[in-house]
Amino acid sequence: MAGHSVEIRNTGEPKGRGLYAVRPFKAGEVIFEELPLVCCQFAWNCAYGYLACDFCMRPLEGAEDNVRRLTRRNDVILPHAHCCPTNKENHTECPACGVQYCSDSCREKAWIHYHRTLCLQSRSRNPNHPLEQLNEAWKQMHYPPETASIMLLARIFATVEQSEDPAAIIQLFMQFCHQTVNEEEEIAHKMLGEQFTGQLQLLRELMTQALYSDTVQQWLTPEGFQSLIALVGTNAQGVGTSPLSEWVKKVTALQLPADEKHNLDSFIDNLYKQLDDEVGGFLNSEGSALYMLQSACNHSCEPNALPTFPHSNFQLAMCAITDIEAGQEILISYLDECALERSRHSRQKILRDNYLFTCRCTKCEAQSEDPDETSSEEEEEDEDEIEEKMSDVEEQAAVN
């Protein structure tokens, strides 16, 4: 399907490549859907009790259980329980290491793609095992809000190791690498902080101890490992799934009497207010993944497409948010909605800091002569607000 609707084209400098529509799309239409090459839940997200299938990220909590945990209120009862998307009867786990899955199908696919290698390496659940130390080291370096996971790299290694054609899979992953050595170093620095040199060395040593093989040795050199860190830092797409959001979609689609519909809407609004008071924006099971087509989409502060996850798992659907003509480039925003509303100066600073480019989209060019858009007091993030939210989540984790 995707091959007939879009194509990746080389665009030259400065973008390098982009994704283009082969046929026209109307606003609201799905342009393409794709599964990731590799996906992994964030380390802290998992540690805080956000239960998700280890393969597809589908939530393992029921909607009501999810709300009770996040609000810390065991008396919450969600109406229309039949709208809960979670089927716990299908849940299963790896018999060797206890990793959880939403179905036998996901367990089998995980085993075929990567889990046989990772399970054999960490079957003993030994906290001193290099894989466990690797995950813990990453958590200490990379606090929420998370944007990547070192275990995504581990799954890349394991995927290559279990492939029938490792060279072809390595080449597939290397297509994501477009930065120079200096750019890769800057990306690694941004991801790991001021102590990034020592941290990068520690992560590489632990990865080498856990997953070294001749097949992946090129990625375990200092340069190769830094390149992989940069690959994940610039190409990984965030994945978020929530049993509550799926329940909300289903109940709001019910045909109900007007008064019951009004009461339900009020209940949902109040529920989200309670959740915001307790955990802020930390509602979902969150992780990151690498997608071939999505990763080819360039940024615009006026995007014409939006990546979505309508199946409550890692399957990405790219949706048109404006009409798109055949031959037009498909553009997404690398910034969230709040950042998009900020000044041109602030948007460009975020993009330079995190993606190492200066945006020259139509919106930025149109605002380039506006004095109100060339300077801003928004540059510094509201650290107090972020710390307060993280304190709430950490307190919740301690309770769990």
Side-chain angles (χ1 to χ4, degrees):
M1 168 183 154
H4 300 293
S5 62
V6 297
E7 65 180 8
I8 298 175
R9 299 179 188 171
N10 291 323
T11 60
E13 297 295 339
K15 292 181 178 180
R17 64 175 187 164
L19 193 69
Y20 290 79
V22 172
R23 64 171 182 84
F25 294 93
K26 293 293 185 181
E29 188 176 354
V30 174
I31 303 170
F32 65 85
E33 295 195 24
E34 68 173 326
L35 296 174
L37 297 177
V38 64
C39 178
C40 185
Q41 186 178 5
F42 290 144
W44 280 112
N45 189 260
C46 179
Y48 287 156
Y50 293 79
L51 301 178
C53 175
D54 195 62
F55 181 71
C56 77
M57 287 285 297
R58 186 180 300 280
L60 299 179
E61 280 184 306
E64 191 170 272
D65 293 335
N66 178 249
V67 171
R68 289 181 174 185
R69 177 175 62 82
L70 293 177
T71 61
R72 291 182 280 188
R73 285 186 51 197
N74 291 326
D75 60 341
V76 175
I77 297 176
L78 298 187
H80 307 288
H82 65 282
C83 290
C84 176
T86 306
N87 186 351
K88 295 185 179 181
E89 292 182 1
N90 291 336
H91 294 177
T92 187
E93 64 180 32
C94 172
C97 68
V99 166
Q100 295 180 297
Y101 300 97
C102 68
S103 65
D104 286 332
S105 175
C106 278
R107 177 174 56 81
E108 292 166 1
K109 289 175 182 176
W111 185 261
I112 292 170
H113 283 91
Y114 62 84
H115 188 64
R116 184 175 74 247
T117 297
L118 300 183
C119 181
L120 291 173
Q121 292 288 347
S122 59
R123 179 175 293 178
S124 65
R125 299 191 188 187
N126 179 1
N128 294 320
H129 189 282
L131 270 182
E132 297 298 324
Q133 291 183 332
L134 179 68
N135 194 42
E136 287 302 314
W138 177 263
K139 285 164 62 179
Q140 298 309 311
M141 299 173 189
H142 206 81
Y143 293 98
E146 297 168 89
T147 56
S149 171
I150 194 64
M151 300 311 290
L152 191 65
L153 269 67
R155 292 195 180 183
I156 291 174
F157 277 59
T159 299
V160 170
E161 196 66 31
Q162 292 187 205
S163 171
E164 294 181 358
D165 189 352
I169 298 298
I170 288 175
Q171 185 59 37
L172 190 63
F173 282 118
M174 294 307 292
Q175 292 180 33
F176 290 92
C177 296
H178 304 288
Q179 279 73 37
T180 65
V181 171
N182 288 339
E183 287 174 331
E184 290 174 349
E185 182 173 344
E186 187 170 346
I187 292 166
H189 193 166
K190 292 292 182 183
M191 291 178 68
L192 299 176
E194 291 300 320
Q195 307 301 319
F196 85 102
T197 301
Q199 292 174 342
L200 197 64
Q201 180 177 343
L202 173 61
L203 294 173
R204 184 174 66 86
E205 289 174 352
L206 291 170
M207 187 74 79
T208 301
Q209 294 173 31
L211 295 171
Y212 176 85
S213 75
D214 292 341
T215 307
V216 295
Q217 61 177 326
Q218 70 186 71
W219 281 339
L220 290 169
T221 65
E223 297 79 11
F225 194 71
Q226 179 175 279
S227 181
L228 274 190
I229 289 285
L231 179 159
V232 169
T234 54
N235 291 283
Q237 164 68 45
V239 179
T241 62
S242 165
L244 175 61
S245 65
E246 289 300 299
W247 174 84
V248 169
K249 282 195 295 186
K250 290 185 177 183
V251 296
T252 52
L254 294 175
Q255 299 298 315
L256 301 172
D259 59 340
E260 189 175 346
K261 176 72 170 174
H262 174 75
N263 290 336
L264 179 62
D265 290 342
S266 297
F267 175 83
I268 292 172
D269 289 343
N270 183 59
L271 192 61
Y272 274 113
K273 183 180 183 303
Q274 293 179 52
L275 288 166
D276 185 63
D277 289 342
E278 288 293 334
V279 295
F282 295 92
L283 295 178
N284 302 336
S285 295
E286 296 181 348
S288 59
L290 292 176
Y291 299 88
M292 286 302 299
L293 294 176
Q294 176 275 335
S295 70
C297 293
N298 287 310
H299 166 83
S300 172
C301 297
E302 290 185 316
N304 56 21
L306 178 71
T308 66
F309 297 90
H311 307 292
S312 195
N313 62 7
F314 62 15
Q315 183 168 331
L316 181 148
M318 187 66 70
C319 294
I321 55 178
T322 66
D323 290 348
I324 299 174
E325 301 294 330
Q328 187 176 351
E329 186 173 7
I330 296 167
L331 298 165
I332 62 176
S333 172
Y334 296 174
L335 306 174
D336 61 26
E337 290 184 16
C338 292
L340 279 178
E341 296 302 316
R342 299 172 76 172
S343 70
R344 171 180 175 270
H345 182 271
S346 292
R347 296 196 312 271
Q348 294 205 338
K349 183 178 187 301
I350 296 170
L351 291 167
R352 280 195 301 270
D353 286 350
N354 293 280
Y355 297 96
L356 309 185
F357 73 88
T358 298
C359 183
R360 294 184 173 87
C361 70
T362 53
K363 182 176 181 177
C364 285
E365 290 297 290
Q367 294 176 340
S368 61
E369 301 302 322
D370 186 343
D372 292 334
E373 298 290 343
T374 57
S375 63
S376 173
E377 297 178 356
E378 301 168 342
E379 291 182 32
E380 296 184 1
E381 296 290 343
D382 188 347
E383 297 291 345
D384 291 339
E385 181 180 352
I386 293 174
E387 288 179 5
E388 181 179 348
K389 288 182 178 180
M390 284 315 307
S391 177
D392 290 342
V393 176
E394 288 170 0
E395 183 180 348
Q396 170 204 327
V399 172
N400 292 336

